[in-house]
């Protein structure tokens, strides 16, 4: 059973930066698509960024130009670099890995990001 563990969340002032990490227990992140989602209280879960097995990336309009998703295959880790953070970025951020012949679907436990104004 693959486990995903997020880290790097915390409290930051508006305009600041954080880097989230999503580490996998197995060597799957190089061949799976990995998504970062976020969910704020009272709101629906939102897809923030995606990196495919071919390293193509895609971003929500709300974070384009501020967030960068990347992958370190040697460390089985996907990162979400978040810059120029805004209070509306406050949410629980979770990573999700999807792939394999059976379309495995793994989730991490989430990490809280709080941006103060």
């Amino acid at each position: 059973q693959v486990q995903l563990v997020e880290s790097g969340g915390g409290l930051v002032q508006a305009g600041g930066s954080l880097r989230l990490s999503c580490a996998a227990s197995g060597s799957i992140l190089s061949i799976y698509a990995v998504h970062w989602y976020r969910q704020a209280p009272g709101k629906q879960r939102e897809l923030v960024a995606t990196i495919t097995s071919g390293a193509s990336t895609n971003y929500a309009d709300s974070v384009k130009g501020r967030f960068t998703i990347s992958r370190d295959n040697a460390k089985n880790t996907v990162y979400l670099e978040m810059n120029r953070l805004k209070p509306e970025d406050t949410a629980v951020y979770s990573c999700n890995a999807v792939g394999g012949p059976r379309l495995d679907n793994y989730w991490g436990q989430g990490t809280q990001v709080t941006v103060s104004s």
Side-chain angles (χ1 to χ4, degrees):
Q1 180 72 16
V2 173
Q3 289 186 323
L4 301 180
V5 178
E6 299 100 334
S7 60
L11 173 64
V12 64
Q13 287 189 329
S17 299
L18 284 173
R19 188 177 78 160
L20 305 183
S21 299
C22 172
S25 59
S27 301
I28 66 166
L29 296 188
S30 63
I31 58 174
Y32 282 30
V34 178
H35 313 280
W36 279 100
Y37 286 86
R38 67 185 180 187
Q39 187 165 22
K43 294 189 176 181
Q44 287 191 328
R45 188 169 61 195
E46 175 189 19
L47 176 60
V48 174
T50 295
I51 186 165
T52 69
S53 58
S56 296
T57 59
N58 196 32
Y59 300 92
D61 287 342
S62 58
V63 307
K64 275 181 184 176
R66 300 189 298 122
F67 289 13
T68 302
I69 188 170
S70 62
R71 190 174 65 208
D72 186 333
N73 292 338
K75 295 183 178 180
N76 298 318
T77 301
V78 169
Y79 303 98
L80 184 68
E81 184 78 33
M82 306 186 296
N83 298 313
R84 304 200 309 275
L85 283 161
K86 304 175 181 179
E88 51 263 44
D89 294 319
T90 295
V92 175
Y93 285 70
S94 302
C95 63
N96 167 236
V98 181
R102 298 169 298 179
L103 284 180
D104 297 328
N105 193 333
Y106 300 107
W107 286 89
Q109 82 288 351
T111 185
Q112 177 70 46
V113 171
T114 303
V115 184
S116 63
S117 56

